Structure formats: C-alpha cells, structure tokens
Amino acid sequence: DAKTTQPNSMESNEEEPVHLPCNHSTISGTDYIHWYRQLPSQGPEYVIHGLTSNVNNRMASLAIAEDRKSSTLILHRATLRDAAVYYCILRPRNAGGTSYGKLTFGQGTILTVHP
Amino acid sequence: GAVVSQHPSWVICKSGTSVKIECRSLDFQATTMFWYRQFPKQSLMLMATSNEGSKATYEQGVEKDKFLINHASLTLSTLTVTSAHPEDSSFYICSATRDRGPIQQPQHFGDGTRLSIL
C-alpha cells in the first residue's frame, strides 16, 4: 500500500487557519486520500476525503495537488477542540472499482492549538 | 452524520476469561466493519476486516482463534477476546463503512473499548 508522510507535530493559534501537509508520492490512480483525527482516549473521527478534486465540508477543506503526490488539510479557523492527532491515509480501490482496501494508520501529526 | 456505537466502553476482567465487544452501526447498513487495536502512545493497528455473512480476514500476526469476529448482520459485528491475558490489554476500536459502487465512502469509528486484564 502507498505510504504517506506527515510532520510529527504542528502548532497553531486559536482562530487562525491551519494547513496540515501530507506527502504521498507513490499514490496510485485509484487511491483515495482520507483524513481522520483522534482525540485522546477516543476513536478516530472522519474529517474529509477525496480522489482528485479539492473537497470542502463543514469541518475542513482538502486541497489535492494536481499530480496528487501531496495534499493539504485546511482548518479555516482553529479552535481548542481541533487539538488532536491528524492522520492522512491512502485507501486503495482494488481492480474493478468495487472492492476497497483497508486504512493503514501512520503516526499522524499532533496538532497543538494555543489559546 | 453516521454513528457507530461500541459497547462496553471499558472492561476489567481476570486473566483467562473471555470478553465480547459489540460494534453497531446505528443509522446505516455497513458493508464492511473493521477492528483495530491501539496500545498507549502508538497508532491504530488493523486486526481484521469483516464483511456481513462471511468470515473475517485477519491481518498477519493476529490470531484468529484468539480474536473471534462475528458479523451476523449489516449493523452488528462482535469481537471476542478468548482466554484473555494481561498482554491483551489495549484499546480496541471498531469502524464501519458502507462502500457501494465506485465511490469510496468514509469509515466511521466507535469510541473504543478500554480492555484491562488483571
């Protein structure tokens, strides 16, 4: 499975935008890019996912590079509740387009938000 | 949003007993459910993938006779840790997805079960 590379940690101030980078230079054409976040002692929470085009939802935006070898999760206004470990994961779609692979979690980025 | 309920939230039991953890998708039919394990200060590690009505697919190194997975319906999967020992103490997390067709769907996670074996 293709791997992702994320910074170990990042810091932000409350109410400022946060850009969390993710490199995935070995991504294949059918890999979806998923982002999840996890607070201590909780299960991960889905944030956003996409294939080729940029995506927006109520939580965040996902900017995908044109060559798909990198992506950026954008939190438009960080709050203290956004402090978490953020995971960027590639989930493959198997041949035929109807069978899906697993999520393989890396170490993620620990985001600290300062008041 | 989609909700996945996991029960119990925590359990403490004696070494040698078996423990069952339930994972339910409350508002959608899950085509696939996954079971993960997470040790302190580590990332999630996938244990097995489960499709309704079929046998689970276990990851390398996970003992299928020790971690029994049943996926009897599209909304319920169970993980039973048989003859649990202190080294099985961990945070167990399930997730569910409703992948259908060519559009990949997100996974929705339960809140996890903290298992402590004395």
Side-chain angles (χ1 to χ4, degrees), chain B residues 41-62:
Chain B
K41 299 194 182 301
Q42 293 187 22
S43 189
L44 281 77
M45 293 191 63
L46 180 66
M47 300 175 67
T49 301
S50 172
N51 293 295
E52 183 262 342
S54 61
K55 290 183 178 180
T57 301
Y58 290 81
E59 294 298 300
Q60 191 172 9
V62 178

Side-chain angles (χ1 to χ4, degrees), chain B residues 5-22:
Chain B
S5 173
Q6 194 171 335
H7 178 81
S9 300
W10 56 270
V11 59
I12 302 173
C13 60
K14 294 182 179 179
S15 183
T17 58
S18 294
V19 179
K20 179 185 282 189
I21 303 169
E22 288 190 353

